[in-house]
Amino acid sequence: MLNRRIAPVRQIPDKIIISKAEEIVLPNGIHLFAINAGSEEVCKLDLNFFAGSRYQKKAVESRAVMAMLTDGTPKLTSHQIAERFDFYGSFCEQATDRDFGKISLFSLNKFLNESLVLLEQIIKNPIFPEKEVETYRIKGKQSLLVELGKVTTLARQDFFRGLFGANHPYGICAKPHDYSNLQRIDLVNFHQSHLTSNLCTLILSGKIGETEINNVISYFGTKAWGNHSTSLDELPKIPALKKKKYYSPKEDALQSAIRIGRSLVNRKHPDYTGLVVLNTILGGYFGSRLMKNIREDKGYTYGILSSILTLKELCVFVIGTEVGAEFTQSALNEIYFEISRLRNE
């Protein structure tokens, strides 16, 4: 029996083996990355599109398109789609960020083909029913109104506006009326122009072999699909902004949300790996310097983290925490103290 009074011997691994993806260029030009790993008969297929918020013509349309892919096709309602995925033990997740729109299928290997039949329909032929669009408008607007009552949301929006400018694709933040202005035709146009084979990358992972790879190719890799006339705009130059500090007052708030950071090099820069290590030491895990000082020693917060947000052309370094309102300035002093100590010592 394991004696829990004796600490386990600490071992530093001699070598870390990371599975390397097999890159396959499909007949229609899509790049498929296959990663054979795991012992269970399950797999995951990610479809990544250049369909993030930076490419949208109208606020929130990117997010709406990805969220509503499963809300109906010419042959199936949203309820029927959900029922069939459930019957096969599969499910989909959709997400969007500033650069990419992504849909992920999780499936048992034995039902991958049946699941791909559904996935192909919802990606290539969504109809965005007007009733569902109206529901999305109402829910989205209400959810945003709730979020705007939180100091964390206000701090996050101020941070990106301050870093990139209010009119830059990375700095634009959704407003409640953006949901009211959203029309079905906006979703149709964005889908046709950005969820296309020439703007797509596939990643298949799990316990996979030729059968699973060929299944994916048969549905997404043989012929080109979607409108290929879209040209992706280059990221606008980030303006030189003079204002460095932002404060959004909220009456009777018990906490203050703090965000501190800056833009940095991209993932291809030779210093990136060192930056990841530095971030881990400063605030990247529970035993970090920021956590030890501001949570464990001072008791200003339940948690504080620093992280590296990786965007397509650059990275953003950000320190984030929520502290008692009365400790705001003290917490800021300690954060800058730890940054200075890391730089100088």
Side-chain angles (χ1 to χ4, degrees):
M1 181 178 289
L2 181 66
N3 187 345
R4 297 189 180 279
R5 295 183 178 182
I6 301 175
V9 177
R10 187 180 73 166
Q11 295 180 328
I12 299 176
D14 295 325
K15 187 177 182 181
I16 298 175
I17 300 174
I18 300 175
S19 299
K20 187 176 181 180
E22 177 189 2
E23 183 176 0
I24 306 168
V25 181
L26 307 186
N28 62 359
I30 289 181
H31 287 245
L32 167 65
F33 296 87
I35 304 171
N36 184 19
S39 57
E40 303 298 329
E41 296 287 338
V42 294
C43 61
K44 177 188 179 188
L45 176 64
D46 294 314
L47 294 95
N48 295 287
F49 298 91
F50 288 105
S53 60
R54 63 180 276 188
Y55 300 114
Q56 63 192 11
K57 298 287 190 296
K58 208 170 184 180
V60 308
E61 66 182 7
S62 165
R63 185 184 310 168
V65 166
M66 298 310 300
M68 296 185 63
L69 285 175
T70 56
D71 282 353
T73 70
K75 296 181 179 179
L76 297 170
T77 65
S78 59
H79 181 70
Q80 290 171 325
I81 292 170
E83 265 193 341
R84 294 194 186 188
F85 274 130
D86 190 53
F87 179 78
Y88 296 126
S90 307
F91 68 96
C92 282
E93 288 182 348
Q94 298 107 283
T96 185
D97 57 28
R98 287 168 173 80
D99 294 310
F100 300 101
K102 173 181 174 182
I103 182 166
S104 302
L105 169 70
F106 299 82
S107 174
L108 299 170
N109 286 6
K110 63 181 179 179
F111 291 130
L112 177 60
N113 187 70
E114 291 83 353
S115 300
L116 288 172
V117 171
L118 285 172
L119 185 65
E120 182 187 33
Q121 291 185 53
I122 66 177
I123 288 177
K124 296 181 181 179
N125 300 299
I127 58 174
F128 306 110
E130 182 58 48
K131 182 179 178 181
E132 302 288 353
V133 174
E134 177 60 21
T135 300
Y136 184 84
R137 288 191 201 104
I138 296 170
K139 288 184 176 180
K141 183 176 181 178
Q142 184 59 39
S143 176
L144 182 56
L145 286 169
V146 172
E147 286 298 313
L148 290 173
K150 301 176 181 178
V151 293
T152 52
T153 302
L154 298 176
R156 183 178 66 250
Q157 290 191 349
D158 278 349
F159 177 75
F160 282 99
R161 275 195 294 256
L163 203 60
F164 297 107
N167 297 317
H168 190 276
Y170 284 163
I172 295 173
C173 300
K175 300 177 179 62
H177 68 262
D178 291 328
Y179 285 94
S180 302
N181 295 335
L182 192 66
Q183 301 299 318
R184 177 183 176 275
I185 190 62
D186 300 325
L187 309 188
V188 172
N189 290 340
F190 189 85
H191 170 265
Q192 291 178 349
S193 61
H194 286 83
L195 270 68
T196 60
S197 58
N198 65 317
L199 299 180
C200 178
T201 300
L202 302 176
I203 302 171
L204 179 64
S205 58
K207 190 177 180 181
I208 59 171
E210 287 189 13
T211 300
E212 289 73 29
I213 292 173
N214 288 334
N215 279 340
V216 171
I217 294 173
S218 66
Y219 289 100
F220 295 104
T222 55
K223 297 180 181 179
W225 38 275
N227 181 359
H228 284 206
S229 64
T230 302
S231 59
L232 300 178
D233 296 332
E234 290 188 8
L235 187 70
K237 185 178 179 181
I238 301 171
L241 302 170
K242 295 181 180 180
K243 188 176 179 182
K244 299 296 183 182
K245 295 183 179 180
Y246 291 79
Y247 172 59
S248 292
K250 190 174 187 304
E251 190 176 349
D252 299 328
L254 300 178
Q255 285 189 319
S256 294
I258 296 171
R259 297 294 183 272
I260 300 171
R262 58 163 295 170
S263 60
L264 289 171
V265 298
N266 63 31
R267 283 173 287 185
K268 296 180 181 180
H269 194 281
D271 287 340
Y272 179 77
T273 303
L275 176 64
V276 172
V277 176
L278 179 142
N279 173 71
T280 303
I281 294 168
L282 179 63
Y285 75 115
F286 194 79
S288 68
R289 294 185 179 187
L290 288 173
M291 192 73 85
K292 286 180 178 178
N293 182 338
I294 295 170
R295 173 192 157 100
E296 295 181 15
D297 184 26
K298 305 298 188 304
Y300 294 154
T301 181
Y302 284 113
I304 180 170
L305 290 172
S306 65
S307 57
I308 301 170
L309 173 64
T310 51
L311 300 172
K312 187 170 178 288
E313 283 90 354
L314 53 87
C315 293
V316 173
F317 172 72
V318 58
I319 299 170
T321 187
E322 287 74 46
V323 302
E326 67 274 26
F327 302 124
T328 304
Q329 190 56 53
S330 299
L332 286 168
N333 293 341
E334 294 301 325
I335 291 171
Y336 284 115
F337 168 77
E338 290 297 343
I339 292 173
S340 177
R341 185 164 74 93
L342 186 61
R343 290 173 64 185
N344 296 314
E345 296 180 20

